[in-house]
Amino acid sequence: MRADRDYYGTPMEKSVKKIVVVGAGTMGSGIALTAAQSGIHAVQVDLAQSQLEKARGYHTKQLGRLVEKQKISADDAKSVAARIVYSTDFSSARDADCVVEAASENPEVKKKLFKSFVETFDAETILATNTSSISITDIATVTGSRATHVIGMHFFNPVPVMKLVEVIRGLATSDETVARSLDLARAMGKTPVPANDRAGFVSNRVLMPLINEAFFAWMEGVARPEDIDQIMMLGCNFPMGPLRLADFIGLDVCHDIMMVLYRELGDAKFFPCPKLRQLMTAGRLGDKSGCGVFDYPAKA
Ligand code: CAA
């Protein structure tokens, strides 16, 4: 991998050198890895040391796989790993070009973080959120005059593979912040596509009702879950069926996104199916808990 090219071999924009990724879960660890693979220094932050260790393990495993598949050399893998720093605190990275918040999908958690971003980061730092459904304008209300620098950069799982970043401007987001965020997404080898600041933006407003309907079809006995998925995979060319995808995303995450859609758009069609709610109540959250719609004994 050349230093002036991103992971996919595209010439890299030089405007972004360092990002901070807050939250070391599935999305945050994917964003940090993709940044580092694109030549950008990444500070991976989480309050929990154990979560940081998990993220480090994921990075090591993914880089090892790329070396095994001869997609990158062992030296390149070392350089990528060296570009990621793990920390329980983001105050040492105040000069970052961008901070990407990838914490839990809860407006209060996000607002608390954005308040501390304003106190911590330089005036020019872009304050991005990876929210999948919460209003950017609402999150920006706690940032005062820095609302011009707040933007939604919605990545997709698995981040190193999925090409899209849905870019959402809030009411006060400046043109410059939008332009710099598009540069960052491109520098990470992604294709940024704009969407307006309505609950769920485009991706989840369209995806979640589809997933929800698959749960209703299952609950009503239209077909077995594996057959619902087969039908959508073979008939509509989905890489994963909607029920498998719900497990992959996390049933709790799907539920939370649907509740935001339901509350904000006021339409009962977004209310989570009782079958989804029942599995979630039983702790069957999908891949991450070793079972959801389907069982994943190897991941338990
Ligand atoms: N991290 C990094 N790379 C990964 C990965 C991960 N977690 N999982 C898979 N990959 C890579 C593999 O290494 C492999 O790479 P190569 O082609 O270079 O060898 C490639 O992806 C394909 O993987 P596999 O062969 O193991 O498996 P697959 O062909 O079944 O693909 C998949 C796996 C990419 C996940 C595919 O099933 C897929 O695209 N599924 C749909 C995913 C999707 O819809 N994501 C969006 C969810 S919605 C969301 O994220 C937003 C939200 O707000 C909820």
Side-chain angles (χ1 to χ4, degrees):
M1 183 169 55
R2 283 176 47 181
D4 60 341
R5 306 256 153 178
D6 69 17
Y7 178 44
Y8 301 97
T10 314
M12 248 170 46
E13 304 281 346
K14 286 290 176 198
S15 57
V16 182
K17 295 187 177 65
K18 177 154 116 185
I19 71 168
V20 174
V21 183
V22 177
T26 307
M27 298 305 290
S29 57
I31 294 167
L33 177 62
T34 308
Q37 284 177 305
S38 311
I40 297 166
H41 290 269
V43 183
Q44 175 94 74
V45 177
D46 202 289
L47 281 178
Q49 187 64 41
S50 58
Q51 201 59 45
L52 291 173
E53 289 313 321
K54 257 189 172 174
R56 192 198 298 272
Y58 167 68
H59 297 156
T60 307
K61 190 169 156 191
Q62 288 306 322
L63 290 171
R65 278 196 182 151
L66 290 173
V67 173
E68 255 172 47
K69 288 187 214 160
Q70 301 190 332
K71 297 212 161 169
I72 59 173
S73 70
D75 280 351
D76 283 339
K78 266 192 197 156
S79 312
V80 172
R83 278 194 283 272
I84 310 177
V85 171
Y86 302 85
S87 176
T88 51
D89 171 24
F90 46 74
S91 60
S92 59
R94 55 179 60 241
D95 60 339
D97 299 289
C98 179
V99 50
V100 182
E101 170 275 317
S104 58
E105 193 66 358
N106 175 323
E108 295 322 309
V109 171
K110 291 191 189 294
K111 284 184 182 174
K112 205 168 155 205
L113 278 170
F114 273 74
K115 245 184 176 171
S116 52
F117 290 169
V118 170
E119 288 153 16
T120 305
F121 292 101
D122 287 353
E124 285 316 306
T125 303
I126 293 173
L127 310 177
T129 171
N130 179 53
T131 179
S132 42
S133 58
I134 298 169
S135 161
I136 309 307
T137 305
D138 186 24
I139 294 172
T141 54
V142 298
T143 62
S145 61
R146 296 273 284 280
T148 49
H149 286 64
V150 177
I151 194 157
M153 291 187 76
H154 183 206
F155 290 83
F156 290 78
N157 184 22
V159 179
V161 179
M162 306 301 282
K163 292 292 282 180
L164 176 67
V165 178
E166 200 174 22
V167 176
I168 307 106
R169 65 188 300 163
L171 201 61
T173 311
S174 69
D175 291 345
E176 195 195 338
T177 297
V178 174
R180 288 174 61 205
S181 305
L182 297 179
D183 278 355
L184 170 59
R186 291 190 191 109
M188 289 173 72
K190 303 299 177 198
T191 303
V193 181
N196 284 327
D197 190 17
R198 296 297 294 273
F201 321 125
V202 172
S203 54
N204 281 319
R205 186 172 181 156
V206 175
L207 176 63
M208 287 302 151
L210 178 110
I211 287 178
N212 212 25
E213 206 52 42
F215 276 94
F216 276 111
W218 175 24
M219 191 175 77
E220 290 170 17
V222 179
R224 297 179 306 165
E226 54 274 36
D227 294 336
I228 293 172
D229 274 8
Q230 275 279 72
I231 286 166
M232 297 309 288
M233 286 166 72
L234 300 181
C236 299
N237 236 3
F238 284 20
M240 280 175 171
L243 295 171
R244 172 73 194 93
L245 183 58
D247 278 351
F248 184 66
I249 294 170
L251 300 194
D252 52 340
V253 175
C254 292
H255 175 270
D256 290 354
I257 296 172
M258 286 177 203
M259 287 307 290
V260 172
L261 287 163
Y262 172 66
R263 276 198 305 269
E264 296 296 321
L265 301 175
D267 192 327
K269 76 180 174 195
F270 295 112
F271 196 75
C273 172
K275 192 76 191 163
L276 188 160
R277 292 165 69 86
Q278 186 189 40
L279 292 181
M280 197 185 74
T281 306
R284 297 184 68 103
L285 303 182
D287 295 32
K288 63 185 160 194
S289 62
C291 59
V293 175
F294 304 106
D295 288 330
Y296 310 96
K299 294 184 182 177

